[in-house]
Amino acid sequence: MRKVPLTLIAVSGVVAAALPLASPANAGAGSKPPVPRFVPAACPTKPIPADLPEKARCGFLVVPENRARPHGRTLRLTVGIVPAKSRHPAPDPIMYLAGGPGGAPLATEAKLLIAAGFNRDRKLIILSQRGTLYGPQNPAPTCPGVDRAFIHTLGLPLDGSRAIRLNVAATRACFRRLTAEGSDLGAYNTTENAADVADLRVALGIRQWNVFGDSYGTNLAMTLMREHPRGIRSVTLDSVEPPEVVAANLFAPNAREGFDRLFRACRKQRQCWRRSPGIARTFTNLVRRLEAHPVTTRVAPSPGAPPVKVVIDGGRLANWLIDESFNTADFRNVPAMIAEFADGNPRPIATQVAARVVGSGTGFLGYGLALGVGCAEWIPYMKGSILSAGRRAFPAYPASVLRPALHITYLPQECTVWKVPKAPAQQREATPSTIPTLLLAGSFDAVTPTSWARIAARTLPNSTLLQFPGIGHFVTLASPCAQRVFASFLATPSAPRTACVAKIRPPRFKPAPRG
C-alpha cells in the first residue's frame, strides 16, 4: 500500500490509535471484568504525545479483539475526551471517526478539530480505532519496516519491480511478526470497528451523540448507521467513501474527476495558464514523458534536513497531484508548479513529494487497520481490473502508470502476503437511514469526489449534500463556511444554514510561467 497523507487521511484519506494485547483478566477464570468497558487512564505520551488540551481526559475502551471469540484476547483502544468550551454545553457530544484507514487522530488532528470549532458547544470524543498506533504496551500493529521501505522507494521509480519487491517483502515480514505475537489480523476491519464505536457510547453512558466521519471515517460512520443506529442524533460525512462502492480500482476515476475540475477552474482564469498546450494536455504529456524517462533530483524534505534522492516517473507525478487533495491551501500554486516542471525544473514538486513521504515518519501508520480494510474490503470486491478502470479514466496514460493502482500503489501486491479473510457481503451494503445526515464534498478532491457523496445520498432521504468549490479533501478543516454549516446542522439537523456555500469561489491561481 502506498503510504498516503494522513487525513489531517488521510487525510487519504492517509489515522487512529489502538493496541492489541492480552487482557490480564483473561488469565483468571471467574474473575474476568465485563467487556466492553471504559477504563480511565492518562493520555498517551509515547511514541509521541497526544495533541490534546490540558483539560482533556483519556481512557481505554476494552473490547474483544474478535467478537466471534468473546473469551479470547481483548484490545484497549485509547479514547480522548475534550471538554466543550461553552459554559452551557449541549448534552449530545460529537464522536469523531478519523480517516485513513490507519491514522492517529489524537496525535495529528485533535488541535485542528478544536481550531475548527468541534468542541465549541459540545464535548468532543476521539476514538483510536483498532489496528492503529496508541496503546499501553507493545506490540502495536504498525509496520516500521514497511515505512522504511517506502521511504527508500523515493529514490526508485514508483512502479518499478524493485520498489514493489521491497514493499512486499517488508509487508510479509510485518504480517509474520504480528501474527507470531498473537494478533488476529482478520479482526481489524470495519465491521468490528463499528461495533467498537457502538460499545463506546454505551460504556460512556451517553444517551445520544452526533457522529462525524471524514474519508474512511465516513465508511465507518455509515456502517455504524446501518448496524448500530441506536443513540445517533445526527451524522456528518465529510469526503465521502460509500461502503458499497469503494474498491482499489476506483481511485483512478476518482482522480480523473478531481483533475478535471481543477484544470477546468484554471482555464476559467485568464492569468492561470497562458501557454500551449493547455494545462490538461501538458500534464498528460509530462506523465507520459516521465514514465519513459524518469527525472532524478536531490531535495531537502524540510528546511535544514539533509537532501534525499527523489525519482519522479509518470506514476509519481500523477500521485503527487492526487495527494494535493490533502492540501487545499496549495491548490493556487499547482498550475505554476506543473508549468515549471514542463520547463525543466522538477524541484518544487520533488520537494513536496519528499516532504510527504519522509514527514510521515516510521512506526506511525496503523497497518493493522489499513491493510485489514484494504485487503478484506477493497481488493476482493473490485469489479474489473485496476488496469482496465485506469485506462477508462486516463486513456492516454501508459499502462505502467495505471497498473499499480493510483493513490494506493502497492496495496494489490501487499494483499498477496497480508492474508486476511474476505469481508462478508453485508459490509458492502448501502446504508439506508433516515438519521439526519450532512454530506460535504470538495470540488477538487481527487480521492473521494462529489460523485461518491451523491451515491451515498441515494439511500439517505433525510440528508443535505453540499459541494464546496476549490476545496480538496476534509472540507470542514479547510473551509470556514463548512465549519459554519456544520455548527448550524448540529443546532438544527433538519435545517442547516447553507447560504455561504453559494458565495465560495475557487482560489485565484498563481500565474504559470509562459515558458
Side-chain angles (χ1 to χ4, degrees):
M1 183 176 189
R2 191 175 69 84
K3 195 175 179 189
V4 299
L6 308 181
T7 49
L8 305 178
I9 130 220
V11 163
S12 146
V14 322
V15 252
L19 197 60
L21 63 128
S23 168
N26 291 344
S31 61
K32 185 193 287 189
V35 173
R37 66 184 185 279
F38 181 77
V39 181
C43 293
T45 58
K46 295 179 181 180
I48 57 175
D51 197 13
L52 293 169
E54 188 176 336
K55 292 183 179 180
R57 61 188 181 93
C58 296
F60 298 120
L61 174 68
V62 184
V63 293
E65 181 181 45
N66 187 333
R67 287 174 172 82
R69 300 175 187 141
H71 301 293
R73 287 160 51 98
T74 58
L75 306 181
R76 291 197 281 177
L77 312 181
T78 308
V79 179
I81 302 173
V82 182
K85 291 181 179 178
S86 171
R87 290 185 177 181
H88 305 286
D92 41 278
I94 296 172
M95 175 68 221
Y96 174 68
L97 305 178
L106 289 174
T108 60
E109 293 161 57
K111 280 192 175 177
L112 296 172
L113 297 172
I114 292 168
F118 275 62
N119 71 320
R120 188 183 69 181
D121 299 313
R122 287 168 170 79
K123 255 188 314 196
L124 171 63
I125 302 170
I126 305 174
L127 170 67
S128 299
Q129 298 164 30
R130 60 174 49 219
T132 57
L133 177 66
Y134 284 122
Q137 66 180 53
N138 286 327
T142 58
C143 299
V146 178
D147 297 331
R148 288 191 290 271
F150 188 66
I151 291 173
H152 186 72
T153 61
L154 265 178
L156 302 169
L158 180 72
D159 47 27
S161 58
R162 187 178 170 199
I164 293 171
R165 287 197 305 271
L166 277 171
N167 277 274
V168 170
T171 302
R172 181 188 293 111
C174 186
F175 179 84
R176 289 174 175 172
R177 173 178 63 82
L178 292 173
T179 51
E181 291 166 345
S183 293
D184 180 359
L185 294 175
Y188 295 88
N189 56 53
T190 306
T191 301
E192 293 280 4
N193 205 359
D196 296 340
V197 179
D199 285 342
L200 178 61
R201 184 186 67 81
V202 175
L204 291 177
I206 295 170
R207 189 181 69 84
Q208 260 194 338
W209 61 10
N210 303 279
V211 175
F212 184 106
D214 82 90
S215 197
Y216 165 74
T218 67
N219 184 331
L220 178 57
M222 284 182 276
T223 303
L224 184 72
M225 295 166 75
R226 188 182 64 236
E227 302 296 329
H228 310 279
R230 176 175 284 188
I232 302 178
R233 175 179 177 265
S234 74
V235 176
T236 300
L237 306 175
D238 187 327
S239 306
V240 185
E241 180 190 292
E244 71 270 29
V245 172
V246 59
N249 59 341
L250 295 186
F251 288 105
N254 287 3
R256 181 61 188 261
E257 186 174 339
F259 290 6
D260 283 352
R261 287 203 172 105
L262 174 63
F263 295 155
R264 194 179 305 128
C266 175
R267 288 195 297 270
K268 288 181 178 179
Q269 296 182 21
R270 244 182 107 185
Q271 91 292 345
C272 178
W273 194 269
R274 290 185 281 189
R275 50 193 287 156
S276 183
I279 184 171
R281 176 66 65 84
T282 297
F283 190 77
T284 296
N285 290 346
L286 266 176
V287 170
R288 292 172 62 87
R289 189 179 86 201
L290 291 167
E291 192 65 7
H293 305 287
V295 167
T296 301
T297 186
R298 295 185 69 84
V299 294
S302 60
V308 296
K309 178 183 174 183
V310 179
V311 173
I312 300 185
D313 56 5
R316 186 158 272 135
L317 183 70
N319 279 298
W320 161 77
L321 188 53
I322 293 171
D323 291 347
E324 283 293 89
S325 295
F326 297 91
N327 188 11
T328 287
D330 197 48
F331 275 128
R332 66 178 303 273
N333 299 314
V334 165
M337 295 172 75
I338 293 171
E340 282 190 72
F341 206 131
D343 290 342
N345 179 13
R347 294 182 63 81
I349 288 177
T351 300
Q352 281 195 346
V353 170
R356 288 168 182 163
V357 174
V358 176
S360 294
T362 60
F364 189 73
L365 183 67
Y367 285 92
L369 186 62
L371 292 174
V373 170
C375 299
E377 300 171 24
W378 296 359
I379 291 289
Y381 285 95
M382 288 193 306
K383 295 178 181 178
S385 71
I386 289 170
L387 179 57
S388 62
R391 279 178 166 157
R392 286 192 296 273
F394 295 103
Y397 283 16
S400 55
V401 170
L402 303 171
R403 190 177 291 113
L406 291 175
H407 182 57
I408 48 173
T409 307
Y410 304 122
L411 180 66
Q413 292 85 4
E414 289 176 332
C415 288
T416 64
V417 298
W418 198 272
K419 298 184 182 299
V420 293
K422 180 180 178 180
Q426 182 180 356
Q427 175 52 42
R428 300 283 306 184
E429 292 179 359
T431 298
S433 176
T434 57
I435 296 171
T437 305
L438 177 67
L439 300 97
L440 309 176
S443 70
F444 288 176
D445 189 351
V447 180
T448 56
T450 305
S451 60
W452 271 13
R454 292 195 180 110
I455 290 170
R458 290 173 187 168
T459 57
L460 302 172
N462 194 14
S463 65
T464 301
L465 192 162
L466 301 171
Q467 177 180 271
F468 290 73
I471 303 295
H473 200 70
F474 206 156
V475 177
T476 313
L477 292 190
S479 168
C481 170
Q483 293 163 18
R484 294 195 295 274
V485 171
F486 175 47
S488 74
F489 174 68
L490 290 174
T492 53
S494 61
R497 295 191 297 275
T498 64
C500 64
V501 181
K503 301 175 183 177
I504 299 175
R505 298 291 180 269
R508 184 165 180 80
F509 295 104
K510 178 181 177 182
R514 287 180 178 272

